[in-house]
């Protein structure tokens, strides 16, 4: 049963064994597993429930429908734009389907440095296996690698850089290229068409337009969740309360800590909202003589891992990934204006982007903002990370030139740096990548309710249960103990599965 | 259930405008630049504007149109002139549909942009009365100003202009974008 609270309006009072907040990579998995495990489950999702027919492939129509704060979420100082989903299925609805398990070296670091001895590859295997099976994770075929990704591969191979074609979660993909705007073909195996329907079929009651405002747990025991029915424009349409023995908070790494802070919960160690990592990313754009039309085909299939070696240093490194933006986005994220900008846009069809995504050590924080819809996000890139971004951009330029680009644009603000073939690309490292100097975005905020063995330095324990509140679990990207250094959807879903199974196995504890 | 979050609809009066509020309003469009986030915006398609009262006055619309013309340099590029696209109507529609708390100060930003050359740059001519070259120079002053408020206003209006213009179907052939695959019948 999927009910739109926006349309229903009015007040609502429910009881359930488990209340799941958020229906993205963490929440949808937890909800389905819990419902199939026999628990009565209520899922509260603030966003609407879209279907394939709603995805029009127009960025002007889709971006506002899919993203938090209408796509305008950003750090307090405006230096980093943050993209997160706001609909049934969360960010998986518009993500780009790279599928990676948690790197072994990262798990080892979490075990050794964060007191999480339980997190061994063997212990996590059942959860990974279940998630990958449900999402249909398979290797991308050679014939599915589009021109954008072939360019990145050509450049990397010429330079002898390590890279590979990844796995993904698509079935029957027509290679439209519009993953970022939601899949019109139900080919992307997002939560929207996998775990959410499973949860629904198993009897979970899923409410959309249901924005949680507070979690109540007097005396450290879960009591209820309260919030508002909201319309698509954020207008109030009513209120709800859900009484539950167990709450699984999976509202994403910005909203989850905001909810805990507003509720005054789980913050005994002062860690809620702290340790924010963003995987900040900056795009270098190559301009080629021939048409690329990189917006057609599977957007991301190749992955350059030459500049990250987690086995020897699990704390730093950068990944290079092909990327293309649609015209409105590309125009707005290309610095400058007037004739020079317009000339750049005339070459839009001949461009190929390569982004550097940083395994960041910088720690920011999330605080409650003026309103529930606008938490405050502080993040200032540290010098060492800035240097790595500059070096990553230099390698992006190298790869793009090696692949045949005639020019490479680096998005310095307010005017871009345009490098011609043969130019000295070390100009990038000379200029550097200081905080705020470059157009920067994040699609992977994480670690704001981090998992750890020590209640003084973490928010949740090894199965996602808050140290301070029995029956309150967090199961989204906020539990990552550190920056992941890899695409996060599979790790997030794995934690959702693991938390759900832990709750099922220990159910008696939550009823006494 | 008393915990209902009050929704702040933009009722801020002009005289209460603070620098902070202004920055926030400009932050609106600054954020439109977000990598993929520049989104923000309820449909900028080329349907007619809705029946509600216009967000911008006629004067403000003229200033905005001239700003968009210079931002996209549609005169020089061989691309469709701004006034022959739905760009301005699209921006107007966007402003009408966004949460007023985000857009309330934008008219002030537009007016400041118009009077900026006189107020800040001692050029004795309003933006709308300048020739194209002088307008470009004025925009550069905003872009590289030491006053962060001016740089923010530049970013806001720039992004609004670029997003509004490049969202128009008429513009796509000139930049090599083929448009939605659904239009080609795939999956429709
Ligand atoms: C553009 C983009 C591309 C990406 N590409 C990839 C990729 O290729 N591979 C990969 O591994 N990862 C990718 N990711 C990241 C991946 O999608 C995320 O790791 C994952 O979805 C995070 O899951 P989550 O459960 O933490 O949050 P989300 O999936 O974001 O879900 C959180 C949900 O909670 C809801 N919510 C928030 N607050 C409330 C509230 N108060 N009340 C009720 N509901 C609430 C939200 O509306 C949302 O639906 C991408 C992300 C983006 C944005
Ligand atoms: S590329 Fe494939 S998965 Fe992505 S939107 Fe197109 S059909 Fe869907």
């Amino acid at each position: 049963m999927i009910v739109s609270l926006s349309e229903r309006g009015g007040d609502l009072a429910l009881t359930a064994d488990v209340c799941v907040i958020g229906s993205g990579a963490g929440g949808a998995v937890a909800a389905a597993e819990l419902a199939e495990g026999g628990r009565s489950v209520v899922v509260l999702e603030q966003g609407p429930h879209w279907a394939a027919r709603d995805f029009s492939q127009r960025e002007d129509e889709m971006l506002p429908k899919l993203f938090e704060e209408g796509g305008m979420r950003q750090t307090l100082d405006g230096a980093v734009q943050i993209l997160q989903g706001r609909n049934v299925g969360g960010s998986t609805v518009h993500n780009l389907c790279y599928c990676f398990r948690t790197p072994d070296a990262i798990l080892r670091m979490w075990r050794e440095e964060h007191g999480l001895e339980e997190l061994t590859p063997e212990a996590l295997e059942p959860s990974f296996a279940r998630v990958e099976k449900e999402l249909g994770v398979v290797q991308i075929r050679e014939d599915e690698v589009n021109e954008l990704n072939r360019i990145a591969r050509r450049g990397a191979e010429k330079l002898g850089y390590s890279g590979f074609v990844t796995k993904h979660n698509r079935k029957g993909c027509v290679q439209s290229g519009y993953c970022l705007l939601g899949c019109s073909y139900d080919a992307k195996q997002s939560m929207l068409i996998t775990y959410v329907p499973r949860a629904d079929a198993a009897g979970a009651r899923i409410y959309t337009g249901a924005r949680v405002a507070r979690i109540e747990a007097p005396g450290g025991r879960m009591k209820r969740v309260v919030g508002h029915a909201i319309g698509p424009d954020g207008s109030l349409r009513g209120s709800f309360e859900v009484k539950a023995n167990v709450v699984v908070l999976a509202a994403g790494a910005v909203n989850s800590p905001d909810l805990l802070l507003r509720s005054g919960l789980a913050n005994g160690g002062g860690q809620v909202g702290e340790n924010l990592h963003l995987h900040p990313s900056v795009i270098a754009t190559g301009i080629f003589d021939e048409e690329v039309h990189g917006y057609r085909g599977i957007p991301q299939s190749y992955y350059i891992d030459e500049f990250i070696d987690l086995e020897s240093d699990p704390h730093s490194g950068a990944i290079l990934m092909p990327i293309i933006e649609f015209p409105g986005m590309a125009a707005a994220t290309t610095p400058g204006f007037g004739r020079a900008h317009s000339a750049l846009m005339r070459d839009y069809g001949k461009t190929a982007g390569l982004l550097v995504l940083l395994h960041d050590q910088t720690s920011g924080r999330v605080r409650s903002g003026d309103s529930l819809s606008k938490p405050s996000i502080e993040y200032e890139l540290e010098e060492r990370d800035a240097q790595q971004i500059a070096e990553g951009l230099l390698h992006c330029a190298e790869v793009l030139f090696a692949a045949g680009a005639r020019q490479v644009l680096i998005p310095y603000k307010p005017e871009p740096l345009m490098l011609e073939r043969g130019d000295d690309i070390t100009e990038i490292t000379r200029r550097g990548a200081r905080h705020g100097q470059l157009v920067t975005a994040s699609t992977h905020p994480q670690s704001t309710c981090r998992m750890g063995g020590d209640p003084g330095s973490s928010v949740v324990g090894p199965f996602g249960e808050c140290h301070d509140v029995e029956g309150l679990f967090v199961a989204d990207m906020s539990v990552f103990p550190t920056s992941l250094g890899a695409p996060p959807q599979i790790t997030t879903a794995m934690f959702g599965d693991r938390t759900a199974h832990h709750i099922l196995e220990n159910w008696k504890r939550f009823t006494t | 259930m008393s915990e209902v979050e009050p929704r702040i609809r933009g009722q801020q009066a002009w005289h209460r405008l603070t620098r902070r509020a202004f920055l926030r309003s400009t932050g609106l469009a600054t954020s439109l630049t977000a990598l993929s986030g520049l989104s923000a915006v309820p449909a900028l398609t080329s349907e007619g504007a809705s029946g509600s009262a216009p967000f911008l006055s006629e004067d403000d619309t003229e200033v905005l149109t001239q700003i968009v013309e210079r931002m996209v340099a549609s005169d020089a590029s061989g691309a469709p002139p701004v006034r022959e696209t739905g760009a301005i109507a699209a921006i107007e529609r966007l402003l009408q549909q966004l949460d007023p708390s985000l857009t309330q100060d934008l008219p002030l930003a537009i007016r400041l942009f118009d009077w900026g050359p006189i107020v800040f740059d001692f050029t004795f001519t309003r933006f709308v009365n300048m020739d194209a070259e002088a307008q470009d120079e004025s925009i550069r002053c905003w872009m590289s100003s030491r006053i962060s408020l001016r740089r923010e206003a530049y970013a806001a209006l720039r992004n609004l202009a670029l997003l509004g213009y490049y969202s128009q179907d008429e513009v796509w052939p000139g930049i090599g974008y083929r448009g939605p695959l659904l239009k080609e019948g795939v999956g429709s």
Side-chain angles (χ1 to χ4, degrees):
Chain A
M1 177 187 95
I2 303 182
V3 176
S4 163
L5 274 194
S6 330
E7 283 165 23
R8 179 189 177 277
D11 294 345
L12 185 69
L14 299 165
T15 55
D17 290 339
V18 186
C19 175
V20 178
I21 303 170
S23 63
V29 175
E33 294 291 342
L34 286 161
E36 287 171 358
R39 303 279 46 107
S40 71
V41 175
V42 165
V43 179
L44 301 169
E45 166 56 54
Q46 63 176 356
H49 183 210
W50 305 116
R53 64 178 172 280
D54 298 312
F55 302 138
S56 67
Q57 303 185 342
R58 292 187 62 101
E59 55 180 331
D60 47 8
E61 292 174 1
M62 294 320 304
L63 293 170
K65 281 187 175 173
L66 298 177
F67 291 101
E68 272 290 3
E69 296 180 41
M72 297 189 295
R73 181 160 275 184
Q74 56 183 351
T75 52
L76 202 55
D77 62 3
V80 187
Q81 310 291 334
I82 296 171
L83 280 180
Q84 290 181 291
R86 190 188 174 283
N87 43 251
V88 172
S91 305
T92 69
V93 171
H94 51 72
N95 78 16
L96 298 180
C97 299
Y98 270 143
C99 288
F100 285 73
R101 286 190 180 191
T102 320
D104 283 354
I106 294 290
L107 286 178
R108 193 177 315 121
M109 190 243 291
W110 289 354
R111 290 195 300 274
E112 290 170 1
E113 297 175 21
H114 293 267
L116 294 164
E117 293 78 17
E118 299 85 349
L119 299 190
T120 62
E122 298 70 38
L124 304 183
E125 174 60 31
S127 291
F128 277 129
R130 276 192 290 268
V131 163
E132 287 174 343
K133 181 161 183 262
E134 178 63 18
L135 300 186
V137 176
V138 290
Q139 176 64 36
I140 296 177
R141 296 189 317 264
E142 280 298 322
D143 63 300
E144 291 175 318
V145 178
N146 77 347
E147 182 56 18
L148 173 71
N149 285 265
R150 280 201 293 266
I151 284 172
R153 178 190 218 163
R154 195 163 67 224
E157 286 177 353
K158 267 199 181 158
L159 295 164
Y161 289 161
S162 166
F164 55 94
V165 177
T166 66
K167 293 181 176 178
H168 70 160
N169 55 321
R170 297 179 178 90
K171 267 185 206 161
C173 171
V174 304
Q175 300 177 33
S176 70
Y178 287 94
C179 300
L180 183 69
L181 305 181
C183 180
S184 317
Y185 311 96
D186 274 346
K188 181 196 287 190
Q189 301 300 296
S190 70
M191 295 300 149
L192 188 58
I193 66 162
T194 56
Y195 279 98
V196 169
R198 252 178 68 179
D200 185 22
R205 290 164 285 167
I206 302 168
Y207 291 91
T208 68
R211 183 162 66 196
V212 174
R214 206 179 62 230
I215 302 163
E216 292 176 4
R221 294 283 301 221
M222 269 317 310
K223 186 179 165 210
R224 63 173 195 159
V225 166
V226 296
H228 324 113
I230 51 167
D233 59 349
S235 56
L236 289 177
R237 307 262 167 102
S239 304
F240 61 78
E241 74 163 3
V242 180
K243 289 194 175 127
N245 295 339
V246 168
V247 167
V248 177
L249 176 57
V254 173
N255 292 19
S256 283
D258 181 30
L259 276 173
L260 290 180
L261 289 168
R262 284 174 184 278
S263 307
L265 290 176
N267 203 17
Q271 294 295 306
V272 174
E274 300 294 323
N275 313 304
L276 170 72
H277 301 296
L278 289 178
H279 278 179
S281 57
V282 182
I283 300 176
T285 305
I287 299 153
F288 291 75
D289 287 329
E290 64 282 4
E291 300 285 333
V292 175
H293 296 299
Y295 50 85
R296 286 282 191 268
I298 288 179
Q300 287 183 331
S301 51
Y302 195 66
Y303 187 91
I304 300 174
D305 63 346
E306 175 73 21
F307 310 103
I308 188 160
D309 179 2
L310 297 171
E311 285 297 334
S312 53
D313 177 9
H315 296 286
S316 67
I319 302 148
L320 310 189
M321 302 171 170
I323 186 84
I324 191 81
E325 299 172 287
F326 297 105
M329 305 174 192
T333 58
T334 301
F337 76 96
R339 288 176 195 202
H341 186 279
S342 159
L344 291 172
M345 285 307 294
R346 277 209 305 281
D347 279 335
Y348 171 79
K350 297 177 180 171
T351 59
L354 193 58
L355 69 77
V356 50
L357 181 144
L358 189 72
H359 176 33
D360 54 330
Q361 299 310 296
T362 302
S363 258
R365 56 155 65 143
V366 172
R367 288 274 166 270
S368 291
D370 296 345
S371 76
L372 251 180
S373 42
K374 203 166 169 33
S376 141
I377 306 166
E378 295 167 27
Y379 184 91
E380 187 165 348
L381 201 64
E382 287 166 9
E383 184 48 39
R384 192 169 61 128
D385 279 352
Q387 215 173 320
Q388 285 208 26
I389 288 196
E391 280 161 21
L393 283 170
L394 181 137
H395 294 307
C396 288
E398 248 184 332
V399 169
L400 290 165
F401 279 129
R406 70 169 136 86
Q407 293 168 305
V408 173
L409 180 144
I410 309 294
Y412 283 102
K413 296 188 281 189
E415 286 184 284
L417 168 66
M418 182 60 94
L419 295 162
E420 306 286 332
R421 202 184 324 213
D423 278 357
D424 178 7
I425 59 173
T426 59
E427 173 64 14
I428 301 170
T429 37
R430 259 195 302 282
R431 288 194 184 199
R434 279 193 323 279
H435 182 70
Q437 216 182 339
L438 288 147
V439 175
T440 306
S442 163
T443 54
H444 303 163
Q446 56 197 292
S447 307
T448 46
C449 303
R450 73 178 174 189
M451 185 179 277
D454 170 21
S457 61
S458 60
V459 177
V460 302
F463 291 95
E465 189 167 11
C466 293
H467 294 300
D468 298 358
V469 186
E470 196 174 0
L472 175 57
F473 290 80
V474 184
D476 58 24
M477 265 176 84
S478 52
V479 302
F480 295 3
T482 64
S483 162
L484 184 66
Q489 68 165 342
I490 299 297
T491 299
T492 312
M494 175 276 290
F495 277 127
D497 176 280
R498 188 162 181 271
T499 290
H501 283 271
H502 176 79
I503 294 168
L504 291 171
E505 284 156 23
N506 294 276
W507 183 249
K508 268 205 180 125
R509 175 157 72 84
F510 306 111
T511 51
T512 51
Chain B
M1 281 176 279
S2 55
E3 283 290 316
V4 172
E5 179 200 9
R7 178 127 183 106
I8 305 154
R9 309 302 288 191
Q11 298 300 332
Q12 192 171 23
W14 265 66
H15 65 271
R16 284 175 51 212
L17 179 78
T18 60
R19 181 172 174 279
R20 180 92 202 130
F22 177 78
L23 286 174
R24 278 182 176 209
S25 82
T26 55
L28 139 80
T30 306
S31 58
L32 297 179
T33 54
L35 163 79
S36 338
L38 74 177
S39 53
V41 285
L44 290 188
T45 51
S46 36
E47 295 151 24
S50 66
S52 51
F55 181 88
L56 295 173
S57 69
E58 252 179 61
D59 286 353
D60 291 346
T61 302
E62 178 56 29
V63 180
L64 179 69
T65 306
Q66 294 197 26
I67 292 171
V68 178
E69 284 173 339
R70 295 321 310 151
M71 290 290 185
V72 304
S74 63
D75 57 334
S77 65
V82 172
R83 291 174 204 261
E84 290 175 20
T85 70
I88 300 303
I91 295 171
E92 167 69 29
R93 234 179 354 264
L94 155 69
L95 295 173
Q96 282 185 11
Q97 291 174 61
L98 276 179
D99 185 323
S101 67
L102 295 170
T103 58
Q104 62 195 349
D105 299 324
L106 209 69
L108 179 59
I110 291 170
R111 271 164 249 176
L112 269 179
F113 218 89
D114 187 21
W115 288 91
I118 296 173
V119 176
F120 298 110
D121 304 326
F122 310 108
T123 51
F124 308 110
T125 316
R126 281 171 58 193
F127 182 81
V128 284
N129 296 330
M130 291 173 150
D131 63 24
E133 217 170 295
Q135 285 185 330
D136 285 355
E137 191 46 44
S138 171
I139 293 176
R140 261 189 291 279
C141 288
W142 284 85
M143 178 178 86
S144 51
S145 171
R146 296 219 308 250
I147 306 168
S148 66
L149 177 140
R150 293 190 70 189
R151 293 197 307 275
E152 295 285 345
Y154 159 78
L157 291 166
R158 185 196 91 101
N159 297 327
L160 209 51
L162 295 174
L163 185 65
Y165 184 72
Y166 287 102
S167 301
Q168 301 305 300
D169 299 39
E170 305 95 305
V171 177
W172 295 344
I175 62 168
Y177 177 57
R178 293 181 179 143
L181 200 65
L182 284 172
K183 267 183 28 181
E184 294 174 19
V186 178
S188 56

